[in-house]
Amino acid sequence: MSKQFQFKLVLLGESAVGKSSLVLRFVKDQFDDYRESTIGAAFLTQTVTLEDQTTVKFEIWDTAGQERYKSLAPMYYRNANCAVVVYDITQSTSLEKAKSWIRELQRQADPNIVIALCGNKLDLAARRQVSEEEAKKYAEEEGLMWGETSAKTGEGVSDIFTSIAKKLPLTAPPSARGGARAGPARTGVDLNKQAVAGQGQGEQCNC
Amino acid sequence: MSDAFDIAQEITRPTEDVKVAIDARSVPRIADEAEKETWSGSDHEPTVPRRKILAVVSHVHADGKHEHGCVFVFTHKPPLVHTIPEDYVVEHAFPIIHGFSISMSQPRQTTIDLSSPPAGSTFTLNQPRTELTVTIDPGEDTPFSPITLQTHDIQGLRRLLDECKRLKEGFATETADDYGFEPFGWVAPYMADHALPPLLSSIPPDLRKLKKPVHTRLSTASAGMPGDDISDVEIIREEWMRRKVEDELFARGEKAGLKIRVGTFNVNGKFPSQDLSAWVRGDVARPPAAFIPPLKELSPLSLGEGQKNPIEETLAAEDPGNGQPPDATSSETRSLSTVSDATTYVNLSVDTQSAETAVSDAPPDVPEDPSDPDMLVLGFQELDLSTEALLYSTKTAREQAWCMAAFAGLGEKAVLYEKLASKQLVGMLLVIIVKKRLRHNFSEIRAVSVGVGIMGIMGNKGATAVRLLFTPTPSPSAANAEPQTRPTALTFVNAHLAAFDEMYEKRNADFQELSKRLVFEPAISVEDQQPPSNGSWYSPAAAPLSIFESDALFWLGDLNYRLTLPDADVRSLVADDQLREVNIRTLRRFDQLASARRTKKAFEDFVEQPITHLPSYRFSAGVLADGMGYDMKRKPAWTDRILHMASKAVTVKQRSYASHATITMSDHRPVSAEFDVEVSVVGLDEYEAFVHRVWRDVSAIEYIEERPRVRVEPTNVDFAKISYKREVTRTIAVVNIGKVPCSFRFVPQGPTADTCPPWLRIHPITGLVLPGEKVDVTLTTQVDEALASRLNVGQAHLEETLVLHTALGRDHFVAVSAEYERTCFATSMSWLVRLPGPVRELQSPDDVLPEDRSVNAPREIMRLVNWLMSNATETDGLFLTPGDEELIRQIRENLDTGGEFDFGAAEKESKVALAFGDTLLQLLDSLSEPVIPPALHPRCAQMTSRDEAFELLDDLPVVNVNVWISLTAFLHFLGQQEACKGRVEQLVAIFTPVLFRDDLTSPTPVSIIGRRNFLRYFIG
Ligand SMILES: Nc1nc2c(ncn2[C@@H]2O[C@H](COP(=O)(O)OP(=O)(O)OP(=O)(O)O)[C@@H](O)[C@H]2O)c(=O)[nH]1
Ligand SMILES: [Mg+2]
């Protein structure tokens, strides 16, 4: 039987860089030229299946990029297992903003958090202000994953989520339990194991 | 008849697509003759087959990719209410899956339409239509069996078959791995429709639960941390349904009133020896009593005839003739059921016929007055103080004596009434008397008693309670009069709690204990209890019922709560009839019951109308009594109380609350309260249909896989300026732009935060919006004393983000901001004197002057005193008559901004002076610490001379002394004026609680009289 894990993922980044668009592409494979700015936080789920048939279910929190709501971001990234910090390759200021989010995450978030830096709007490469080298170098220095995407064309989108899934610690302690939404798991929760345990024929448990 | 398609659309949710819908009917049993014989006499099968609707409904999943279909059969519900046209239910739902098949065939013989004229005459117009037979086979893997229907609609059926084919082919191309959801999960809600929606229970919800705001019952949640959305949805939805029923069903319907007069009387073991009319009838002007109460005959011995052996006679309800004038014999028949140990169940099968007879028995010269109560609820305590009564908890002759006296007190009206039920436990007796005319409106009477006295169980203290259902009769004119209307559950508790001043905590504990143990056990009836006609869900509850499971609960009795003020204070406060009103108000602040309610130790969420009568306890005669007749050995107190609590299903308005001084036979005075209870007259069927209809829209929303979508507008709310005691309201709309009902709640930003800042109120804080609808949420800023005292010394710019969480959906932010305008109210005098100028000009709280540069006394207080000195010394009623709110607001504004007082032509009018007086009182009352700090109150109260009093001022901060001196000098001057002659005492009484504001949490209050004396040394 294939294994199933569940992780909490949060998207951060300046307003209009395309966070909501990325999620929409990833979850529904759609794109919308006129998206309203997010005033709040949206919760969505999507599952990726890895080569070894392991499935990883992401609980995605898409946050508001507008400065005014910055103080609420910690509420959404706390307990997150992974974060996708997005910038717009056509706006160099958005990379600066992304860097400040990364610093905040490194300081405040769970120390084991997996962070991916994502340069979006790759389809507008002609108007590029942030070079691949610059971003990649920064990501390497900080030990982050990095990739470029286009929510519009879909390019790179599933790659970035798949690589995150691969990088997450897919080893769940057998005793892990609890509703994922109520108390997001610090590490992956193997849903199959849970189910088995629920049927009272669980494996060895040393608790 | 509506179009099948419209009906199907109406029944299905907006997330579904009705592809085809056609009229159909069940196959008439052609060869039924044989069968009919077997089922002889049974005419259950309707002669005309019920209308059905056959529909193909499809559902496209949220992923936009998968479409699934289902064949529905809707069937017309047996008519409950004819006014609701589309009352259809889902009879079958067959998912279109692999094994599913549908086929049509033409029966060999065409059915002749019998309603057509004989063939031949108009055959060209009325050709018998062809009936087609449709057979649906749900497939072998399903739990359903095939069904067959008939239809005339050939065209429709063709399209229906085509749709089924298309959907089945679509389904065949999918594999289970394609989707991570239950493909036919969307069908579940239609089947869940048969589950019993909340609100259909015949047991009203616990009143205590209803009084708790909904959001306090939801799961813990905050931004980014949703709680248990599913259970929240259930709670929010139930509340929403309840609102809907109240606002749309109850509010628009006919109302029935029930006038209830409640009385409580601790009779101190006495037999009735006085006219009780003041208590049972109120002090209404009326013609002299036609019926003279046979007081002399009311001795236990004279009761011999009507009296039965008290041990044998354990039934609570008895022949009302016992308590009535002899000429009013009732012809009613009733069957009485047996009793369990402490619970009594009374089965009142009074037929309407005899109830009418009873009315006609009343002499024609006894007209009913609208002011006559419909129901009299009398609670007695200490009915019997004998030891036997305590040991054998039985009914005594005294009950009859008191009932008789109560009827006698009703005078000529007595013939209109009869006793409905009663319950006694030792000295406690609860009697319910109703108008005969209304007798048949009461049913399912239950009674219970609980002792909490000696050893925690004896009946010297405790309570007896009666619960009954009141079923209003619809007025004959009501267009849609239902024979059976929805009943209202009324519960009455008569309690006697622990005595003595210091037993405060025991009384609270008694209340809690009684709340728990007063449980009405289910009926144990001799006869089969017939459920009221056609209300299948509404049968007498088999469950035990708490007293709080009522629509309205009245709690009366000798609750024994005392006053905490010193004995001498209480006596002198009640003795002064010049200052009665203000003194009673003062006393109320020291009432233990008020404090129990404030601290939620007992009677939380009950309502008690403010008392205006004198303490009802404890009276004595002769040398043992003070000038007012109160016993010298016991501090007077309001021991005898009447409180209530009601759900929104009924309206309870209290009309009076009084004690009756003329009834002097006991050491307590009886107390009464009159209530107008209003209930909605709604047919049971109508109610049930309404609830089902509302339920259909929202049932199972927690299982629908579509995410709710709402738009919140605006997302930015700027209140601009907000100030003390001025409410500002803004509205935001929550619009449902999705396809499923959305329940929402505001959540705090973090686990330890509050849902909204203290300066804001959100209403409603939870809600539910149907697709396409919107809900207005009001945001109100309201700055009261406590808040102003915090805001005054903080930053003026206020900013917050509210988080609105949609269940199973996203969070929405609403940014709110406001600019607080500082006020001199609700601050401390020591802060006011450090203000460099008017408080409004203060930019930052750090801008106050250092202490050594502060002024002598708060400018604001001085400005008011000066203005009053020059303009108001002649004003009649200064400080006594409340001022005009708007004028007070203007004066306050001038104080805060430093603006000139300018009232133009009105300047000299007394209303302006009165407003100034009131403003001064309000300003002093709002100070975070009173002019005389509480720590000094005990010493102030002990001063015995003017000189001593002046000396004590040395211990006050200098600012306080300055304020004290200027104020008292002004009040002294005022006392000398013509307009205020003889008003010194009133001024003293009014200013004492303000200048010496009490710390209400202190268990031993300082003498009010002592503090008044202190003030009198300065202004007298
Ligand atoms: N050309 C192009 N436009 C994009 C791409 N991604 C997003 N956009 C557009 O950029 C705008 C902003 O995208 P959103 O997804 O709303 O941005 P956001 O980061 O969620 O913004 P906030 O919600 O305000 O924090 C929209 O008009 C999108 O259509 C992309 O990859 N290419
Ligand atoms: Mg967004």
Side-chain angles (χ1 to χ4, degrees):
Chain A
M1 197 190 240
S2 64
K3 291 189 167 189
Q4 256 190 36
F5 296 93
Q6 192 161 309
F7 293 100
K8 177 173 172 181
L9 182 148
V10 63
L11 278 107
L12 296 165
E14 198 177 54
S15 182
V17 295
K19 297 181 293 299
S20 303
S21 303
L22 277 171
V23 176
L24 185 67
R25 174 61 76 193
F26 177 51
V27 174
K28 295 197 180 167
D29 199 19
Q30 292 169 2
F31 181 77
D32 204 340
D33 267 310
Y34 306 97
R35 274 208 78 74
E36 277 179 31
S37 178
T38 309
I39 301 177
F43 173 82
L44 298 109
T45 55
Q46 179 64 308
T47 308
V48 280
T49 308
L50 304 177
E51 287 101 9
D52 63 353
Q53 293 309 302
T54 304
T55 57
V56 174
K57 184 177 177 190
F58 285 115
E59 301 184 323
I60 305 167
W61 283 97
D62 171 26
T63 66
Q66 286 182 42
E67 191 62 27
R68 146 132 237 195
Y69 307 107
K70 193 172 185 305
S71 65
L72 277 116
M75 305 303 155
Y76 296 95
Y77 66 63
R78 73 185 153 186
N79 298 331
N81 308 101
C82 36
V84 177
V85 181
V86 187
Y87 64 94
D88 174 351
I89 62 162
T90 70
Q91 301 288 329
S92 51
T93 52
S94 71
L95 179 65
E96 290 316 308
K97 189 73 212 180
K99 288 179 180 175
S100 98
W101 277 117
I102 287 161
R103 276 192 298 276
E104 180 170 335
L105 286 174
Q106 288 166 340
R107 227 177 26 245
Q108 316 257 41
D110 186 316
N112 297 319
I113 192 167
V114 173
I115 305 175
L117 178 64
C118 171
N120 190 36
K121 309 204 184 175
L122 186 55
D123 55 297
L124 302 177
R127 283 164 29 203
R128 183 190 279 282
Q129 284 188 1
V130 180
S131 72
E132 287 186 47
E133 297 72 42
E134 181 192 356
K136 201 171 174 181
K137 182 162 163 285
Y138 168 77
E140 272 164 13
E141 282 165 15
E142 299 294 331
L144 316 170
M145 304 172 66
W146 173 81
E148 285 189 338
T149 56
S150 166
K152 187 166 185 164
T153 65
E155 191 180 346
V157 176
S158 60
D159 302 341
I160 205 149
F161 287 97
T162 312
S163 7
I164 291 171
K166 284 182 185 156
K167 199 160 178 211
L168 285 161
L170 300 181
T171 45
S175 62
R177 65 193 154 88
R181 291 201 66 188
R186 296 183 73 82
T187 48
V189 177
D190 185 329
L191 297 174
N192 285 330
K193 274 196 180 155
Q194 253 185 296
V196 171
Q199 286 155 19
Q201 37 173 272
E203 296 136 63
Q204 289 270 292
C205 177
N206 304 323
C207 32
Chain B
M1 214 195 250
S2 311
D3 177 28
F5 187 82
D6 292 344
I7 294 169
Q9 205 145 40
E10 151 100 350
I11 296 170
T12 49
R13 292 155 205 282
T15 41
E16 271 83 78
D17 221 354
V18 178
K19 294 291 180 192
V20 190
I22 60 170
D23 265 306
R25 55 182 196 154
S26 41
V27 182
R29 303 185 174 193
I30 306 160
D32 257 0
E33 301 319 312
E35 214 175 310
K36 266 214 179 105
E37 268 164 31
T38 347
W39 298 97
S40 61
S42 146
D43 53 357
H44 281 113
E45 193 62 29
T47 42
V48 181
R50 250 193 248 154
R51 184 188 184 193
K52 293 181 197 267
I53 292 163
L54 183 62
V56 178
V57 174
S58 100
H59 174 96
V60 179
H61 286 267
D63 61 11
K65 285 184 259 183
H66 298 95
E67 184 185 11
H68 291 121
C70 189
V71 171
F72 279 91
V73 179
F74 304 112
T75 187
H76 200 259
K77 234 178 148 182
L80 284 171
V81 182
H82 305 283
T83 51
I84 298 166
E86 265 84 62
D87 220 8
Y88 285 82
V89 290
V90 177
E91 191 180 12
H92 301 283
F94 302 121
I96 304 176
I97 49 173
H98 301 291
F100 173 92
S101 70
I102 183 164
S103 58
M104 67 171 177
S105 64
Q106 194 157 356
R108 249 164 271 136
Q109 83 266 50
T110 1
T111 324
I112 309 291
D113 191 341
L114 294 174
S115 63
S116 316
S121 54
T122 51
F123 70 97
T124 42
L125 291 173
N126 275 312
Q127 267 186 348
R129 287 179 293 165
T130 315
E131 287 266 26
L132 292 173
T133 307
V134 198
T135 305
I136 305 168
D137 186 348
E140 277 181 3
D141 296 344
T142 69
F144 314 114
S145 31
I147 60 153
T148 306
L149 297 171
Q150 286 199 338
T151 181
H152 291 294
D153 189 350
I154 307 173
Q155 295 285 311
L157 189 56
R158 290 237 164 79
R159 281 188 292 124
L160 196 134
L161 263 53
D162 286 347
E163 269 302 318
C164 289
K165 187 163 171 247
R166 182 183 70 80
L167 288 160
K168 192 177 165 184
E169 282 167 7
F171 184 79
T173 61
E174 294 172 1
T175 54
D177 307 339
D178 279 357
Y179 31 75
F181 52 85
E182 174 58 45
F184 288 94
W186 59 276
V187 182
Y190 295 97
M191 302 321 284
D193 210 283
H194 299 301
L196 193 69
L199 270 69
L200 278 194
S201 159
S202 64
I203 304 171
D206 191 308
L207 283 168
R208 291 167 298 188
K209 187 183 108 182
L210 285 186
K211 298 288 165 190
K212 301 270 168 289
V214 203
H215 68 273
T216 61
R217 308 201 314 256
L218 301 180
S219 63
T220 330
S222 62
M225 283 257 182
D228 184 346
D229 275 354
I230 305 269
S231 84
D232 291 352
V233 166
E234 283 169 13
I235 296 169
I236 294 171
R237 175 177 52 200
E238 189 179 333
E239 184 67 17
W240 176 83
M241 288 181 68
R242 186 162 287 126
R243 277 291 104 72
K244 201 103 178 144
V245 168
E246 283 159 11
D247 298 347
E248 291 176 25
L249 187 65
F250 290 169
R252 68 165 187 226
E254 189 197 334
K255 299 277 188 250
L258 190 67
K259 203 177 247 313
I260 306 180
R261 187 171 174 91
V262 180
T264 176
F265 192 10
N266 180 321
V267 300
N268 194 27
K270 302 279 192 317
F271 268 90
S273 61
Q274 268 181 311
D275 176 14
L276 300 181
S277 63
W279 180 51
V280 296
R281 277 187 87 173
D283 301 301
V284 285
R286 55 172 177 275
F291 173 72
I292 314 286
L295 289 177
K296 291 221 179 65
E297 289 164 32
L298 285 173
S299 83
L301 295 172
S302 70
L303 288 168
E305 211 186 347
Q307 191 186 349
K308 295 165 197 149
N309 181 338
I311 311 286
E312 271 175 28
E313 193 193 21
T314 46
L315 285 177
E318 57 187 347
D319 190 330
N322 274 349
Q324 282 182 25
D327 58 323
T329 42
S330 162
S331 62
E332 283 159 275
T333 54
R334 64 185 59 91
S335 50
L336 298 171
S337 60
T338 52
V339 245
S340 66
D341 184 27
T343 304
T344 314
Y345 187 83
V346 189
N347 176 8
L348 295 156
S349 53
V350 182
D351 59 66
T352 333
Q353 188 66 49
S354 56
E356 274 158 16
T357 323
V359 173
S360 61
D361 273 353
D365 57 338
V366 181
E368 276 192 44
D369 275 318
S371 63
D372 292 340
D374 298 312
M375 193 173 189
L376 260 175
V377 177
L378 302 177
F380 298 89
Q381 307 85 33
E382 299 193 1
L383 199 70
D384 194 340
L385 293 169
S386 68
T387 332
E388 297 82 54
L390 185 59
L391 294 178
Y392 317 104
S393 178
T394 57
K395 193 185 204 67
T396 64
R398 291 166 195 253
E399 167 168 357
Q400 286 164 23
W402 281 103
C403 286
M404 208 180 266
F407 273 97
L410 286 169
E412 80 284 2
K413 297 281 167 101
V415 293
L416 298 173
Y417 294 88
E418 68 179 55
K419 187 164 97 180
L420 179 69
S422 69
K423 182 73 186 170
Q424 186 178 355
L425 173 68
V426 193
M428 293 165 285
L429 167 68
L430 179 62
V431 182
I432 296 182
I433 295 165
V434 295
K435 273 199 189 134
K436 288 176 185 167
R437 185 170 58 76
L438 298 172
R439 174 61 186 265
H440 66 283
N441 296 92
F442 296 99
S443 61
E444 222 191 286
I445 302 167
R446 296 187 188 192
V448 66
S449 65
V450 165
V452 294
I454 302 165
M455 290 165 15
I457 50 161
M458 297 293 269
N460 58 323
K461 292 290 181 310
T464 68
V466 170
R467 181 189 202 271
L468 43 81
L469 296 183
F470 169 63
T471 310
T473 317
S475 71
S477 63
N480 193 32
E482 290 291 328
Q484 176 74 31
T485 54
R486 193 172 174 270
T488 301
L490 304 173
T491 297
F492 303 92
V493 176
N494 170 35
H496 192 187
L497 308 185
F500 302 112
D501 285 32
E502 64 282 6
M503 297 299 269
Y504 170 65
E505 295 296 350
K506 174 73 170 101
R507 285 186 273 283
N508 295 340
D510 283 354
F511 167 80
Q512 300 298 351
E513 185 75 8
L514 290 171
S515 297
K516 244 187 270 141
R517 285 173 51 201
L518 282 171
V519 172
F520 301 98
E521 289 302 329
I524 305 165
S525 176
V526 178
E527 296 159 49
D528 270 349
Q529 187 66 36
Q530 281 296 311
S533 59
N534 72 25
S536 55
W537 58 269
Y538 174 71
S539 53
L545 297 169
S546 150
I547 50 166
F548 293 98
E549 285 169 317
S550 310
D551 293 300
L553 166 63
F554 295 83
W555 190 305
L556 51 132
D558 178 359
L559 308 185
N560 255 322
Y561 284 101
R562 309 300 169 96
L563 292 163
T564 54
L565 274 182
D567 184 90
D569 269 39
V570 177
R571 282 180 209 282
S572 87
L573 285 171
V574 300
D576 190 340
D577 56 354
Q578 297 293 306
L579 297 175
R580 176 94 352 122
E581 213 187 305
V582 38
N583 283 355
I584 297 249
R585 231 183 307 136
T586 302
L587 278 177
R588 279 208 306 258
R589 291 211 312 271
F590 301 95
D591 168 37
Q592 287 180 335
L593 177 54
S595 130
R597 276 149 52 69
R598 217 174 21 242
T599 54
K600 303 189 190 307
K601 286 183 173 169
F603 293 98
E604 190 190 345
D605 299 322
F606 274 85
V607 178
E608 187 190 28
Q609 184 168 297
I611 294 181
T612 54
H613 54 262
L614 289 171
S616 52
Y617 173 82
R618 178 190 188 196
F619 291 89
S620 181
V623 286
L624 299 170
D626 69 8
M628 293 292 289
Y630 287 105
D631 188 326
M632 287 308 288
K633 293 203 297 291
R634 290 275 189 281
K635 200 199 290 183
W638 286 302
T639 50
D640 309 281
R641 312 292 278 261
I642 299 165
L643 299 93
H644 74 276
M645 181 173 194
S647 77
K648 291 205 176 115
V650 293
T651 328
V652 178
K653 288 204 183 92
Q654 189 165 349
R655 296 301 180 198
S656 68
Y657 196 15
S659 71
H660 303 281
T662 54
I663 301 171
T664 56
M665 63 194 159
S666 166
D667 58 348
H668 288 251
R669 297 291 172 260
V671 169
S672 69
E674 207 149 46
F675 298 92
D676 281 337
V677 175
E678 201 181 70
V679 304
S680 301
V681 185
V682 177
L684 270 184
D685 287 351
E686 187 186 358
Y687 178 80
E688 188 184 359
F690 185 90
V691 172
H692 272 293
R693 204 147 40 95
V694 172
W695 178 240
R696 201 167 56 199
D697 288 339
V698 292
S699 67
I701 49 178
E702 61 272 47
Y703 303 116
I704 303 172
E705 115 251 8
E706 266 87 356
R707 289 296 160 105
R709 285 179 59 217
V710 299
R711 196 172 59 228
V712 178
E713 52 194 16
T715 53
N716 230 316
V717 178
D718 185 6
F719 283 93
K721 296 187 164 132
I722 64 164
S723 52
Y724 177 61
K725 278 198 176 169
R726 222 182 77 220
E727 278 196 5
V728 184
T729 296
R730 296 271 189 278
T731 305
I732 54 173
V734 180
V735 191
N736 191 332
I737 52 169
K739 288 176 171 176
V740 295
C742 173
S743 86
F744 65 85
R745 62 181 288 201
F746 283 88
V747 293
Q749 284 191 13
T752 56
D754 287 325
T755 302
C756 74
W759 48 274
L760 200 67
R761 226 175 40 218
I762 306 175
H763 183 82
I765 205 158
T766 68
L768 192 149
V769 216
L770 296 181
E773 295 190 356
K774 81 169 182 152
V775 166
D776 283 335
V777 175
T778 58
L779 305 178
T780 309
T781 70
Q782 184 203 38
V783 183
D784 62 3
E785 250 108 68
L787 182 59
S789 68
R790 279 161 64 188
L791 294 180
N792 279 337
V793 296
Q795 291 303 330
H797 183 70
L798 306 169
E799 203 177 68
E800 200 74 45
T801 304
L802 307 177
V803 182
L804 184 149
H805 172 70
T806 54
L808 305 166
R810 55 192 290 177
D811 290 352
H812 296 259
F813 296 159
V814 178
V816 287
S817 57
E819 214 60 45
Y820 176 64
E821 301 201 291
R822 292 180 215 275
T823 177
C824 60
F825 282 66
T827 55
S828 69
M829 294 199 294
S830 58
W831 189 76
L832 283 177
V833 292
R834 290 172 61 192
L835 287 176
V839 67
R840 198 60 64 70
E841 282 169 20
L842 194 72
Q843 291 303 316
S844 145
D846 307 328
D847 293 347
V848 290
L849 301 171
E851 249 165 82
D852 55 346
R853 284 183 50 211
S854 59
V855 295
N856 291 337
R859 274 177 287 255
E860 294 79 5
I861 297 179
M862 291 305 143
R863 280 186 72 189
L864 290 175
V865 174
N866 290 341
W867 191 95
L868 287 165
M869 191 68 184
S870 13
N871 300 286
T873 52
E874 312 273 275
T875 309
D876 197 35
L878 185 67
F879 298 125
L880 307 175
T881 314
D884 175 75
E885 280 304 321
E886 179 50 30
L887 286 172
I888 293 172
R889 204 195 56 75
Q890 280 181 41
I891 299 167
R892 198 165 57 218
E893 187 68 11
N894 285 330
L895 292 174
D896 292 341
T897 58
E900 287 301 313
F901 296 132
D902 181 10
F903 293 92
E907 178 95 27
K908 290 278 166 263
E909 280 178 35
S910 72
K911 68 171 185 190
V912 174
L914 292 176
F916 266 92
D918 208 345
T919 309
L920 177 63
L921 278 171
Q922 288 187 15
L923 176 54
L924 293 170
D925 206 30
S926 75
L927 294 174
S928 48
E929 185 163 76
V931 177
I932 307 287
L936 285 178
H937 292 190
R939 277 179 59 207
C940 291
Q942 280 158 17
M943 299 295 102
T944 53
S945 74
R946 221 183 127 84
D947 293 344
E948 260 185 19
F950 268 93
E951 245 168 70
L952 193 143
L953 291 186
D954 291 345
D955 294 346
L956 285 178
V958 70
V959 175
N960 299 41
V961 177
N962 291 340
V963 169
W964 179 266
I965 296 288
S966 354
L967 261 177
T968 53
F970 167 62
L971 293 176
H972 175 78
F973 179 80
L974 209 58
Q976 313 300 306
Q977 301 310 298
E978 204 51 47
C980 274
K981 270 269 157 19
R983 293 254 173 98
V984 172
E985 279 313 307
Q986 277 173 321
L987 291 177
V988 168
I990 285 167
F991 273 87
T992 304
V994 172
L995 297 173
F996 291 89
R997 202 167 61 244
D998 275 291
D999 173 13
L1000 282 178
T1001 56
S1002 138
T1004 47
V1006 178
S1007 165
I1008 279 279
I1009 298 298
R1011 286 180 278 175
R1012 281 190 186 174
N1013 287 339
F1014 184 84
L1015 181 57
R1016 202 181 293 104
Y1017 288 133
F1018 294 86
I1019 70 176

